[in-house]
Amino acid sequence: AAAELQGKYQKLAQEYSKLRAQNQVLKKGVVDEQANSASLKEQLKMKDQSLRKLQQEMDSLTFRNQQLAKRVELLQDELALSEARGKKNKKSAESSSQLSQEQKSVFSEDLQKKIEENERLHILFFEADEQHKRLEAELRTRLEVLETDAAQHQAVVDSLTRKYTDTIEKLQNDKAKLEIKSQTLEREAKDCRLRTEECQQQLKNLQAALGSRLEESLCIINEKVPFNDTRSNRYNALNVPLHNRRYQLKLRDLAGQALAFVQELVTALLNFHTYTEQKVQIFPIDSATDTISPLNQKFSQYLHENASYVRPLEEGMLHLFESITEDTVTVLETAVKLKAFSEHLASYLCFLRKILPYQLKSLEEECESSLCTAALRARNMELHRDMKRLTAVFEKLHTYISLLALPSTKPEGLLRTNYNLVFTNIAASLHGFHDVLKDISKHYSQKATLEQDVPTATQKLITTNDCILSSVVALTNGVGKIASFFSNNLDHFTTSLSYGPKGGREFISPLSAECMLQYKKKAAAYMKTLKKPCIDSVPYEEALANRRVLLSSTESREGLAQQVQQSLEKIAKLEQEKEHWMLEAQLAKIKLEKENKKLKNSLSGHLTETTQERSVLPNVAEQKKETTEKSLKEPIKSTSLVVFGLLNINICLLKFLLCQAPDVESREDLIKNHYMARIAELTSHLQLADSKSVHFHAEVSMQATSVLKTVNPFLNFPQASVMTDELMTTKRSYEDQLSMMSDHLCSMNETLTKQREEIDTLKMTSKGNSKKNKNR
């Protein structure tokens, strides 16, 4: 490692020297380019100065040109004036005309020269300007190129410096790490040397001890063991192997998943065959309107029998799953139910072989139909090939599964070394099965879309095609799940086949495996008989402490029962007194209101009514007082007597209100308000009673649980039965009290309903009396 690092370091040093030399060259180039850019900048300044001079000259020339143009205009004006004057006096102006012509010629020549000179100056200025612009553009482009080159060179230089510093830091860190690692390796090497010496010494001691123990064991075996069955595979196959519970649970889980997948596959196959039968009855000829061909009749007849061939696959897989339990030893030699599944698969393969010619002929007959287009014919031929491939895949699967069933019936039919190859081929066949079904799904979907465009296509045909397509999709998904499941668990299937007796490599025959399972059951039953449950016991000191707690709990229970009874009696008395005084207050209030109304109505002449009210009021008050005195004098036996007394008072109060009310509406309002108040009070009393009963029930249940906890340790003592009897009696008494309270509540409800009925009858009678009075 150190030599490799030294070589890497040398390579990096060489690269660094090369990059350093390149850096110097680049620096020189950058300096030269900077000098060139400075000279170009100076030339650019000079050109700018010359350009400014030319611009100034151009401005002066343009100013001069403008002056000359103004002068020419003035001369032209003067010439026009002179011509106008010359027409008036031609004779007198001949001499002046000659002079003017000479002046015109002089001015024209001067003007022509100035124009030519101006044009020449314009041309020179334009050429100089163009040359300056071109030179300036060239210099600017060259300056930009030089600046970009300089920036690139500077970026390269910066990147190289950063890279150089990073590599130096990295090398320094690596060097420090390697030094630390070398020190640790040296220390570990010293420790390893010491350990190896110790291990060698321990190995020598162990070899000596094992040699002595081996000699003793051989002597014991030779003297004491008359027969060693592990030397022979034939006898060793009868020995019970070590039970691998995890392997069995894993295998049962896999079998359950396989059962679910096979159930999905069976459902999809049933749907596919059933909907195919319906399709044959509909297309290309509908059996409802016309007779189909004999070929399709036979084909539909065979398809109708699909359930008798497909259902046994699910049953065979179910029996195989039920044979794999936690207590058994599951290998190919003991998987007897796999043979039945192979037979069911063979029967289904015979069914596929039987319907294949009819299916192919049916597709050919459909192609020969007049409704079949070229595209539909092509799809039918693709399905023709797919059905052949499907039958071939099933034949391949049946072959491999029948090979797996051989070790449980004929172990010489399949060598153990070929198990792995068989499982691999099954996985490949399942993937091929999935590919075939994907092709069938694709081609059938195309066929269904083409059949929808046929002019004679009915809604029944479209729905049947959709059902067939959905069943094919379900079949494809189910087979895909089975293929992925088998491929994912292929290693488990192949590696777990070496399960067998200790010291042996395999089971010799199915008979020996069956005998081994019987021996295993006998051994398990013998081990169960050896395990006896220990009898639970309680220490003496703990039992005495629990007895004291039990006695104190029974005493406290009796005291609490007495307190509950006393509190119930007090509550009943207080409720009776409360009802009495509340009724007194209501009667006094009503009496006061009626007296006030009487005083108001006495002025209008209702003297007869006031006398009747005064005669009724003492009677009602006397009745009320008598009932209350009787209720106070009577001993409180139960809350039902209180309720009946209150009901009598309510009835008397109701009659009093009916007599006092002057009209029907006021009577109904009074009755309504009174009974609404009474109902509210009664509901509050019911809620209070319910809450108290719930509280007492919870308290009793807590006491019962505490008593049970204390009684459980004493179940083996003679006093336990007496204590349990007492507990049961108290429990029954509390239950009886609860039932009495519930009966009491029911009776209160019944009395309330009776009161409502009486109120209704009184209302009706009052209405009738009021009508009679009006008629009078």
Side-chain angles (χ1 to χ4, degrees):
E4 291 179 357
L5 289 171
Q6 189 66 28
K8 291 180 180 178
Y9 184 74
Q10 288 178 359
K11 288 180 181 179
L12 290 171
Q14 290 175 2
E15 290 179 359
Y16 174 68
S17 61
K18 289 179 182 178
L19 292 171
R20 194 170 181 181
Q22 291 177 2
N23 191 10
Q24 292 176 358
V25 174
L26 290 171
K27 281 182 179 179
K28 289 180 181 180
V30 169
V31 171
D32 295 337
E33 293 295 333
Q34 287 177 355
N36 291 330
S37 65
S39 62
L40 289 170
K41 285 179 181 178
E42 289 177 357
Q43 290 178 6
L44 184 62
K45 288 179 182 179
M46 293 173 69
K47 294 292 182 182
D48 288 334
Q49 290 175 0
S50 61
L51 180 62
R52 289 192 193 96
K53 288 179 182 180
L54 292 171
Q55 188 71 28
Q56 289 175 0
E57 291 177 358
M58 182 65 185
D59 293 337
S60 63
L61 288 171
T62 52
F63 179 71
R64 183 65 179 166
N65 194 6
Q66 290 175 0
Q67 286 180 351
L68 290 171
K70 289 180 181 179
R71 189 175 179 185
V72 168
E73 289 177 357
L74 290 171
L75 290 171
Q76 285 178 356
D77 294 335
E78 289 177 358
L79 181 62
L81 291 171
S82 63
E83 285 178 354
R85 290 174 184 174
K87 289 180 181 179
K88 293 179 181 179
N89 47 3
K90 290 181 181 179
K91 293 179 181 180
S92 62
E94 285 179 357
S95 60
S96 62
S97 65
Q98 289 177 359
L99 290 172
S100 64
Q101 287 179 358
E102 289 176 358
Q103 289 177 358
K104 284 181 182 179
S105 63
V106 171
F107 284 138
S108 62
E109 288 177 1
D110 191 8
L111 181 62
Q112 187 69 29
K113 287 178 182 180
K114 293 293 183 180
I115 290 169
E116 289 177 356
E117 187 178 359
N118 193 6
E119 185 177 359
R120 182 174 60 77
L121 289 173
H122 270 289
I123 291 167
L124 289 172
F125 177 75
F126 180 74
E127 289 176 356
D129 190 13
E130 289 293 327
Q131 187 176 2
H132 178 266
K133 288 181 179 179
R134 187 166 56 254
L135 183 60
E136 184 181 1
E138 290 177 357
L139 291 173
R140 286 185 184 280
T141 54
R142 189 175 178 187
L143 181 62
E144 289 176 357
V145 171
L146 290 173
E147 285 178 353
T148 54
D149 292 339
Q152 290 177 359
H153 290 309
Q154 189 65 33
V156 171
V157 170
D158 294 337
S159 64
L160 289 172
T161 53
R162 286 196 299 270
K163 186 177 179 182
Y164 170 65
T165 54
D166 292 338
T167 51
I168 289 172
E169 290 177 358
K170 189 176 180 181
L171 288 170
Q172 288 176 354
N173 294 328
D174 292 338
K175 185 178 179 181
K177 289 179 182 178
L178 288 171
E179 288 177 355
I180 296 168
K181 191 174 181 180
S182 63
Q183 292 175 2
T184 55
L185 288 172
E186 287 176 358
R187 287 196 296 270
E188 289 178 359
K190 290 179 182 178
D191 295 336
C192 288
R193 290 193 199 96
L194 296 174
R195 289 177 185 174
T196 50
E197 291 176 359
E198 292 177 358
C199 291
Q200 286 177 359
Q201 187 65 32
Q202 290 178 3
L203 181 62
K204 289 179 182 178
N205 295 330
L206 286 172
Q207 284 179 353
L210 289 172
S212 62
R213 289 177 66 183
L214 179 62
E215 291 177 358
E216 291 177 0
S217 300
L218 289 173
C219 293
I220 291 169
I221 289 168
N222 292 326
E223 291 177 359
K224 303 294 183 181
V225 179
F227 176 69
N228 187 7
D229 56 356
T230 58
R231 294 178 179 176
S232 175
N233 290 330
R234 183 177 179 184
Y235 298 129
N236 192 29
L238 298 174
N239 289 328
V240 178
L242 296 174
H243 183 62
N244 193 346
R245 184 173 177 271
R246 185 180 299 173
Y247 164 73
Q248 286 297 122
L249 292 175
K250 174 70 174 176
L251 199 61
R252 183 171 175 80
D253 185 19
L254 294 177
Q257 295 180 21
L259 175 62
F261 293 145
V262 169
Q263 288 174 350
E264 291 181 4
L265 181 65
V266 166
T267 304
L269 286 173
L270 288 171
N271 292 332
F272 177 67
H273 291 313
T274 304
Y275 293 134
T276 305
E277 179 188 357
Q278 293 180 8
K279 174 69 181 300
V280 169
Q281 297 287 337
I282 296 170
F283 191 78
I285 299 171
D286 193 354
S287 60
T289 58
D290 198 357
T291 57
I292 60 176
S293 63
L295 177 70
N296 286 332
Q297 290 179 1
K298 196 71 174 176
F299 183 37
S300 64
Q301 181 182 355
Y302 286 150
L303 285 173
H304 193 68
E305 302 171 356
N306 67 85
S308 61
Y309 296 98
V310 179
R311 290 288 183 191
L313 293 174
E314 182 180 355
E315 295 175 359
M317 196 66 200
L318 180 61
H319 292 320
L320 180 61
F321 169 70
E322 290 174 351
S323 66
I324 300 171
T325 60
E326 183 182 348
D327 299 330
T328 59
V329 177
T330 304
V331 288
L332 289 179
E333 287 81 4
T334 59
V336 183
K337 300 296 182 180
L338 190 60
K339 180 66 176 175
F341 180 74
S342 175
E343 292 174 354
H344 295 320
L345 185 60
S347 65
Y348 180 66
L349 179 61
C350 293
F351 171 71
L352 287 179
R353 289 172 180 168
K354 182 170 65 174
I355 66 172
L356 180 62
Y358 294 98
Q359 194 166 14
L360 299 179
K361 290 291 184 183
S362 177
L363 288 171
E364 292 173 359
E365 183 179 346
E366 187 177 341
C367 292
E368 293 174 358
S369 176
S370 60
L371 299 174
C372 186
T373 60
L376 187 58
R377 193 176 294 109
R379 299 290 85 78
N380 286 332
M381 295 311 295
E382 288 174 352
L383 285 173
H384 191 280
R385 292 189 293 271
D386 292 338
M387 291 303 169
K388 290 181 180 178
R389 291 169 59 197
L390 182 64
T391 307
V393 166
F394 267 104
E395 289 177 353
K396 192 182 294 185
L397 282 173
H398 170 253
T399 302
Y400 292 127
I401 292 173
S402 61
L403 286 174
L404 286 180
L406 284 176
S408 61
T409 55
K410 296 179 181 178
E412 66 276 1
L414 181 65
L415 298 177
R416 197 177 186 86
T417 54
N418 296 327
Y419 288 177
N420 191 2
L421 183 61
V422 173
F423 279 114
T424 307
N425 289 330
I426 288 174
S429 301
L430 287 172
H431 283 291
F433 188 17
H434 186 224
D435 295 336
V436 171
L437 287 173
K438 285 196 289 187
D439 293 339
I440 291 173
S441 177
K442 182 178 71 174
H443 296 154
Y444 205 92
S445 64
Q446 295 173 357
K447 174 182 168 63
T449 54
L450 291 173
E451 286 180 353
Q452 288 179 3
D453 298 334
V454 174
T456 59
T458 60
Q459 185 63 34
K460 190 176 181 181
L461 176 63
I462 293 169
T463 54
T464 305
N465 283 331
D466 292 338
C467 292
I468 293 173
L469 190 59
S470 63
S471 63
V472 171
V473 170
L475 190 61
T476 306
N477 294 331
V479 173
K481 290 178 184 178
I482 293 171
S484 60
F485 161 76
F486 201 86
S487 299
N488 294 332
N489 297 291
L490 185 62
D491 295 334
H492 180 76
F493 290 142
T494 54
T495 55
S496 61
L497 294 173
S498 60
Y499 188 53
K502 186 177 180 181
R505 295 177 60 189
E506 60 183 16
F507 293 99
I508 299 301
S509 63
L511 184 61
S512 64
E514 187 176 357
C515 294
M516 181 273 299
L517 292 177
Q518 293 178 0
Y519 295 152
K520 186 176 183 301
K521 291 178 181 178
K522 290 180 181 179
Y526 178 68
M527 294 298 291
K528 286 181 181 179
T529 56
L530 292 178
K531 291 182 179 180
K532 293 181 180 179
C534 297
I535 299 171
D536 296 332
S537 62
V538 180
Y540 181 70
E541 294 178 356
E542 186 177 354
L544 288 175
N546 291 333
R547 185 173 181 277
R548 294 192 192 96
V549 172
L550 180 62
L551 292 173
S552 63
S553 65
T554 53
E555 292 174 358
S556 63
R557 183 184 61 193
E558 293 174 357
L560 288 170
Q562 292 176 0
Q563 291 178 6
V564 167
Q565 188 66 29
Q566 292 175 2
S567 62
L568 286 172
E569 292 176 357
K570 289 180 181 179
I571 288 165
K573 289 179 181 180
L574 291 171
E575 285 181 353
Q576 189 175 3
E577 292 177 358
K578 180 184 175 182
E579 290 292 331
H580 168 68
W581 292 113
M582 285 177 71
L583 290 170
E584 286 285 342
Q586 287 180 359
L587 287 170
K589 186 177 180 180
I590 293 166
K591 187 176 180 181
L592 179 62
E593 290 176 355
K594 296 302 176 182
E595 288 293 332
N596 291 327
K597 288 181 180 179
K598 287 175 186 178
L599 292 172
K600 290 179 182 179
N601 295 325
S602 61
L603 299 174
S604 61
H606 295 287
L607 296 173
T608 56
E609 292 180 359
T610 54
T611 55
Q612 289 176 0
E613 289 171 357
R614 288 173 184 174
S615 64
V616 170
L617 183 58
N619 294 328
V620 174
E622 289 175 359
Q623 290 177 0
K624 176 180 68 61
K625 288 179 180 179
E626 289 175 0
T627 53
T628 53
E629 287 175 358
K630 287 179 182 179
S631 63
L632 287 170
K633 289 177 182 179
E634 288 177 356
I636 299 169
K637 295 181 180 180
S638 65
T639 57
S640 61
L641 297 173
V642 177
V643 172
F644 286 119
L646 292 173
L647 292 174
N648 293 324
I649 293 168
N650 288 329
I651 292 166
C652 294
L653 180 62
L654 179 62
K655 291 177 180 178
F656 172 71
L657 290 172
L658 291 172
C659 295
Q660 290 287 99
D663 55 354
V664 178
E665 293 179 356
S666 61
R667 288 173 186 173
E668 289 180 355
D669 292 334
L670 288 170
I671 293 165
K672 183 178 179 181
N673 294 327
H674 173 70
Y675 274 101
M676 288 297 289
R678 291 300 301 149
I679 287 166
E681 290 177 2
L682 289 171
T683 51
S684 64
H685 287 307
L686 285 173
Q687 290 176 358
L688 181 64
D690 288 334
S691 62
K692 287 180 180 179
S693 64
V694 170
H695 173 69
F696 292 144
H697 184 267
E699 188 176 358
V700 169
S701 63
M702 288 174 64
Q703 289 182 0
T705 53
S706 63
V707 169
L708 286 174
K709 287 180 181 178
T710 55
V711 166
N712 283 329
F714 296 97
L715 292 175
N716 296 323
F717 294 98
Q719 294 178 357
S721 59
V722 178
M723 294 166 69
T724 53
D725 292 336
E726 290 178 358
L727 180 64
M728 293 298 291
T729 53
T730 53
K731 187 177 179 182
R732 286 170 186 166
S733 64
Y734 280 118
E735 288 177 354
D736 293 336
Q737 289 179 4
L738 290 172
S739 63
M740 286 173 66
M741 290 181 74
S742 62
D743 294 336
H744 173 59
L745 291 173
C746 294
S747 64
M748 287 177 70
N749 289 326
E750 290 177 357
T751 53
L752 284 172
T753 54
K754 289 178 181 179
Q755 283 184 0
R756 288 173 185 169
E757 291 176 357
E758 289 178 359
I759 289 165
D760 294 333
T761 54
L762 289 170
K763 283 182 182 180
M764 296 297 293
T765 54
S766 64
K767 287 180 180 178
N769 292 326
S770 64
K771 288 180 180 178
K772 289 178 181 178
N773 292 326
K774 287 179 181 178
N775 292 326
R776 288 176 184 176

